[in-house]
Amino acid sequence: MAYEVTKDLETGNTLIDSEHRQLFQAINNLLDACSQGKGRAQIQSTIQFLNSYVGKHFSDEERLQVESKYPDYPAHKRFHEGYKQKMAQVTNELAANGVNISSVGKVNEAAGILVTHIRTEDKRLAQHVKSAK
């Protein structure tokens, strides 16, 4: 299953949407490599990218929240911190155990959490940022 930023996931904020696309592309690249038996070769670069890019993306979102005085900033930040920990666990497991059914399932689970977050919280954030201008 490929992940993509569909209309229902677009926030309307150019920065947020472009970063979501890059995150999904990295996840898709890893899953594609796994399905072709090349996951082990792709793991390390994808792990490094995902962990650094999730941090960058969340920092960008949090900056927008602070600048626009987003009222749900504390809860959104808590989600970000928890998600970074989840990604670290998933990527550590991939690095330690390699690609297997369990690790691919955990990558998909982490992507699913991100999709749900985008569909609800990030869309709400983008609407607030737009109305705050």
Side-chain angles (χ1 to χ4, degrees), residues 30-46:
L30 176 61
L31 293 173
D32 288 346
C34 291
S35 72
Q36 297 169 12
K38 300 175 184 174
R40 292 186 196 282
Q42 180 100 19
I43 287 174
Q44 214 45 47
S45 62
T46 303

Side-chain angles (χ1 to χ4, degrees), residues 59-89:
S59 291
D60 288 345
E61 277 191 3
E62 289 166 12
R63 180 183 43 77
L64 288 172
Q65 291 174 56
V66 170
E67 289 172 358
S68 68
K69 297 178 176 40
Y70 186 55
D72 291 332
Y73 172 71
H76 206 116
K77 182 164 178 64
R78 275 193 303 278
F79 170 83
H80 285 172
E81 294 306 315
Y83 193 81
K84 286 191 281 191
Q85 290 176 355
K86 170 94 172 151
M87 282 304 299
Q89 290 171 339

Side-chain angles (χ1 to χ4, degrees), residues 4-11 17 115 118-120 123:
E4 61 182 295
V5 178
T6 54
K7 287 286 183 204
D8 68 314
L9 294 177
E10 287 180 350
T11 66
D17 288 342
V115 167
I118 291 168
R119 187 171 282 130
T120 56
K123 286 183 89 164

